């Protein structure tokens, strides 16, 4: 009974969304780093991947402190994302194209988390809200850095 109540908890839902977002970002960057051959771009991607890993770890810790196990993207989401990366890089593996793909993904993540923050507003646990804001701000910074490669 407690577990089903916690699943409906908006704070837990937001934490899971932060966890999924950061895990998807990390996995995407792991794949893209294997594709790029540009050393400057690779260095940026590695920094972004490390940042996503940190965000993922923080979301995981907060979820566990709320008595929940992190729930990452489903297997279909992982396979679908990986397939889309492979298809989108068949003919163009340039830093410009890869940066464009990453900017689009980060923008979707920003929209999703910001929308959730706006809907929950002041009712959100302050620690969770702080982490959500950190994710949005970090994604925005990542986008700005990636724009240089477009």
């Amino acid at each position: 009974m407690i577990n089903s109540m916690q699943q409906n908890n908006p704070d837990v839902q937001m934490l899971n969304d932060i966890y999924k977002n950061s895990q998807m970002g990390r996995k995407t960057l792991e794949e893209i780093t294997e594709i790029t051959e540009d050393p400057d771009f690779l260095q940026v991607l590695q920094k972004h991947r490390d940042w996503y890993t940190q965000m993922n770890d923080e979301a995981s810790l907060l979820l566990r402190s709320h008595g929940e196990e992190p729930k990452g993207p489903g297997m279909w989401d992982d396979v679908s994302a990986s397939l889309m990366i492979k298809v989108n890089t068949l003919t163009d593996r340039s830093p410009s194209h890869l940066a464009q793909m990453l900017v689009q993904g980060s923008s979707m993540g920003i929209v999703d988390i910001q929308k959730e923050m706006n809907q929950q507003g002041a009712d959100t646990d302050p620690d969770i809200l702080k982490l959500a804001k950190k994710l949005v701000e970090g994604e925005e910074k990542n986008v700005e850095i990636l724009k240089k490669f477009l």
Side-chain angles (χ1 to χ4, degrees):
M1 184 75 171
I2 290 174
N3 200 12
S4 65
M5 285 175 54
Q6 287 178 333
Q7 286 176 345
N8 294 326
N9 180 334
D11 284 347
V12 170
Q13 180 62 45
M14 184 179 284
L15 273 175
N16 266 316
D17 289 345
I18 293 167
Y19 182 83
K20 287 176 191 175
N21 177 299
S22 56
Q23 188 172 40
M24 188 65 87
R26 182 181 51 80
K27 286 181 177 185
T28 298
L29 285 167
E30 286 171 357
E31 284 195 48
I32 301 274
T33 56
E34 292 178 11
I35 294 171
T36 190
E37 295 176 9
D38 182 287
D40 294 331
F41 189 57
L42 181 61
Q43 187 175 14
V44 167
L45 296 180
Q46 289 169 333
K47 282 183 184 178
H48 289 187
R49 184 197 59 216
D50 293 347
W51 176 80
Y52 278 117
T53 299
Q54 178 189 352
M55 291 298 300
N56 198 247
D57 291 346
E58 288 181 41
S60 177
L61 285 171
L62 271 174
L63 275 162
R64 286 190 171 96
S65 75
H66 281 78
E68 291 287 319
E69 281 299 310
K71 295 175 185 78
M75 186 180 78
W76 176 248
D77 292 331
D78 281 345
V79 170
S80 176
S82 183
L83 184 60
M84 289 302 294
I85 291 169
K86 285 176 179 40
V87 167
N88 281 316
T89 58
L90 279 174
T91 58
D92 188 354
R93 294 177 170 211
S94 68
S96 175
H97 181 66
L98 297 173
Q100 180 182 348
M101 290 170 49
L102 293 170
V103 165
Q104 289 170 343
S106 287
S107 297
M108 289 188 325
I110 290 167
V111 168
D112 290 345
I113 298 299
Q114 187 64 56
K115 186 176 176 182
E116 203 165 348
M117 286 190 319
N118 291 348
Q119 289 171 348
Q120 289 190 36
D123 296 335
T124 307
D125 175 299
D127 290 334
I128 297 170
L129 188 58
K130 181 179 175 184
L131 187 61
K133 286 179 180 177
K134 183 177 176 181
L135 178 65
V136 169
E137 290 168 4
E139 289 272 32
E140 289 170 343
K141 286 178 188 172
N142 288 347
V143 165
E144 286 305 311
I145 292 168
L146 289 168
K147 283 181 183 179
K148 296 172 188 161
F149 292 94
L150 294 176

